[in-house]
Amino acid sequence: MSSDIDNEDLNAVIRQHSEWLANQLHAQRENIFPPNAQKAIRKFTSGEAAALLGVNDSYLRKLHLDGKGPSPELTPGNRRLYSAQDIQDLRVLLEKTARKPGDYLPGRREGDHMQIIGVMNFKGGSGKTTTAAHLAQRLALTGYRVLAIDLDPQASLTALHGVQPEYDLPDGGTLYDAIRYEDPEPISSIIRPTYFPNLDLIPGNLELMEFEHDTPRALAQGNAGLFFFRVKEALAQVDDDYDVVVIDCPPQLGFLTMSALSAATGVLVTIHPEMLDVMSMSQFLRMTADLMDVIAESGADMSHDWMRYLLTRYEPQDAPQNRIVAFLRTMYADKVLNSTMLKSTAISDAGLTKQTLYEVERSAFTRSTYDRAVESLNAVNDEIADLIQKTWGRHDNE
């Protein structure tokens, strides 16, 4: 019996296809962002800037007319546009005259511990990376000092922030460099700023898989020590530099995920409310609990400040989804976030140009589509920010 494939070398075919795809992605990036250009965030309207700061647009206008704070860009129609850095500078200015500390700079105060949020699920399509990217960016835009870590070898979070692993990380530069067993580098050497003020990035690529291969060998040789503390110990080096760390975890329960779980102070599990996804999550939770037991028996403190489920890609008009959502809320009660991440063509369309919804221009979509998606994302991320504040012992009136 003959085959229409003449005994091709599968490895050679896969490698060739990988190179073709990488070259096309690189060409696409250079078309969108020229070689000498760096990805930048758009300007914000005065209304958007006011909403981010929690003030009235008229107050921003008064500051501008009084010559206080940064000068916004004026359009031909005399509309004011603010850069993300302008908004951050206004935060600093407004905090000096705030009624209470933290009104405009909501980050850590003396005695607060750095929040490390692990975003996880081991089933693809649950919206894990979309969640991590928008959470990190929203926290940065609202005044927190944020470090985003791409711990997923597929590196989608990295690509969203303008870094193409195949071309931009030929010699390392991922968290693996700081957690490897031989000659680890200081974590500060792999942190890179992004085009968002307050947001830094540790990118990912396939090199992260080396940790999955190295750990069994190190354990067999007795050199791994408490391997699950390696992410926590690396982050301790920059504890004073950030308020929040957002980790996009790998889509499997391997050594990287175990180490991230050990470092996390908060855990966010993304759930797509479809029956197959919920069935998969059942296995994910069982395996996670078993692994955490093993880690705890080795002496680790596996307590966390909080753990929540986030419903993603939710379609309110879908009756089967609504039944599953009701089932999950009945079973897990307040462990399920009140806010949901709605399924939206705006989010997927923004991803075509490697952007998040916070980066794209509102004019690129119909107003209702964009507003609906952004309101959903903001509600989710602000609910998580409230959890962070409560963890630090603060409430709305403090």
Side-chain angles (χ1 to χ4, degrees):
M1 184 175 179
S2 63
S3 168
D4 59 352
I5 300 177
D6 297 328
N7 298 319
E8 291 185 87
D9 183 338
L10 182 61
N11 183 53
V13 171
I14 292 174
R15 185 174 299 280
Q16 184 182 54
H17 288 186
S18 170
E19 291 174 356
W20 285 350
L21 182 57
N23 289 336
Q24 287 299 311
L25 290 172
H26 184 61
Q28 181 197 44
R29 184 179 71 166
E30 293 205 335
N31 183 49
I32 299 171
F33 306 110
N36 295 326
Q38 293 188 345
K39 200 176 177 188
I41 185 163
R42 65 179 177 88
K43 297 289 182 72
F44 294 84
T45 65
S46 58
E48 290 175 315
L52 284 167
L53 290 165
V55 301
N56 294 324
D57 189 7
S58 57
Y59 184 54
L60 275 191
R61 185 183 300 109
K62 184 178 185 304
L63 287 176
H64 169 54
L65 294 175
D66 291 346
K68 296 178 180 178
S71 297
E73 175 186 328
L74 294 177
T75 69
N78 217 32
R79 296 178 63 204
R80 287 168 290 121
L81 296 177
Y82 292 84
S83 70
Q85 187 61 55
D86 289 340
I87 296 172
Q88 175 60 20
D89 292 343
L90 282 165
R91 283 190 186 283
V92 175
L93 173 68
L94 294 170
E95 183 71 16
K96 293 176 181 177
T97 57
R99 290 179 300 167
K100 59 182 186 296
D103 275 354
Y104 300 100
L105 293 173
R108 293 163 67 187
R109 304 177 203 166
E110 187 175 354
D112 295 337
H113 60 273
M114 183 167 66
Q115 282 282 290
I116 304 171
I117 302 173
V119 183
M120 56 186 61
N121 197 322
F122 71 3
K123 190 174 192 307
S126 70
K128 178 177 60 65
T129 298
T130 299
T131 297
H134 286 92
L135 174 60
Q137 291 182 359
R138 175 70 176 178
L139 290 174
L141 286 170
T142 51
Y144 294 85
R145 300 171 303 160
V146 184
L147 174 63
I149 301 178
D150 195 345
L151 211 55
D152 186 345
Q154 296 177 75
S156 298
L157 182 72
T158 299
L160 271 176
H161 287 91
V163 180
Q164 188 173 342
E166 302 95 322
Y167 283 88
D168 300 329
L169 302 171
D171 301 312
T174 72
L175 191 65
Y176 175 71
D177 293 348
I179 63 174
R180 64 193 180 203
Y181 296 100
E182 294 183 8
D183 301 319
E185 295 185 16
I187 193 172
S188 57
S189 68
I190 55 174
I191 293 174
R192 56 175 67 195
T194 71
Y195 43 93
F196 275 77
N198 291 336
L199 177 58
D200 291 342
L201 173 71
I202 296 180
N205 67 7
L206 288 173
E207 183 187 51
L208 288 164
M209 289 302 298
E210 294 298 320
F211 189 73
E212 304 289 352
H213 302 148
D214 291 349
T215 300
R217 289 195 293 266
L219 286 169
Q221 298 167 3
N223 297 328
L226 299 178
F227 75 88
F228 41 82
F229 279 156
R230 298 194 76 81
V231 171
K232 185 174 185 177
E233 290 169 348
L235 288 175
Q237 300 171 30
V238 291
D239 182 86
D240 293 335
D241 299 333
Y242 299 99
D243 303 313
V244 184
V245 177
V246 177
I247 305 178
D248 184 18
C249 294
Q252 70 269 341
L253 287 173
F255 295 113
L256 281 170
T257 301
M258 291 169 70
S259 194
L261 262 175
S262 301
T265 61
V267 175
L268 187 64
V269 180
T270 53
I271 309 174
H272 180 216
E274 297 278 2
M275 184 52 70
L276 288 178
D277 295 78
V278 172
M279 292 168 62
S280 172
M281 191 186 74
S282 173
Q283 298 302 309
F284 168 77
L285 294 175
R286 183 185 297 273
M287 292 173 63
T288 301
D290 290 344
L291 287 172
M292 290 177 72
D293 284 343
V294 171
I295 296 172
E297 288 170 3
S298 301
D301 179 6
M302 294 306 291
S303 59
H304 294 78
D305 293 330
W306 54 269
M307 181 262 201
R308 294 291 186 275
Y309 299 103
L310 168 62
L311 299 166
T312 60
R313 298 173 57 214
Y314 174 47
E315 300 175 78
Q317 307 306 317
D318 187 314
Q321 281 198 14
N322 282 327
R323 287 195 289 271
I324 291 174
V325 169
F327 167 71
L328 291 171
R329 291 197 185 280
T330 299
M331 185 165 50
Y332 296 134
D334 61 356
K335 293 297 183 186
V336 182
L337 290 178
N338 292 320
S339 305
T340 60
M341 182 181 292
L342 300 181
K343 183 176 181 179
S344 174
T345 55
I347 296 175
S348 54
D349 287 351
L352 292 174
T353 52
K354 297 181 183 177
Q355 296 182 96
T356 67
L357 210 57
Y358 292 137
E359 299 176 66
V360 294
E361 295 284 353
R362 186 185 188 192
S363 58
F365 307 95
T366 60
R367 178 172 296 186
S368 60
T369 299
Y370 178 88
D371 289 350
R372 180 172 172 268
V374 166
E375 287 169 8
S376 164
L377 288 168
N378 288 349
V380 166
N381 295 328
D382 293 350
E383 189 173 345
I384 295 168
D386 286 342
L387 282 173
I388 293 171
Q389 291 292 314
K390 289 175 181 176
T391 296
W392 289 333
R394 299 196 283 275
H395 303 282
D396 292 341
N397 60 346
E398 297 180 5

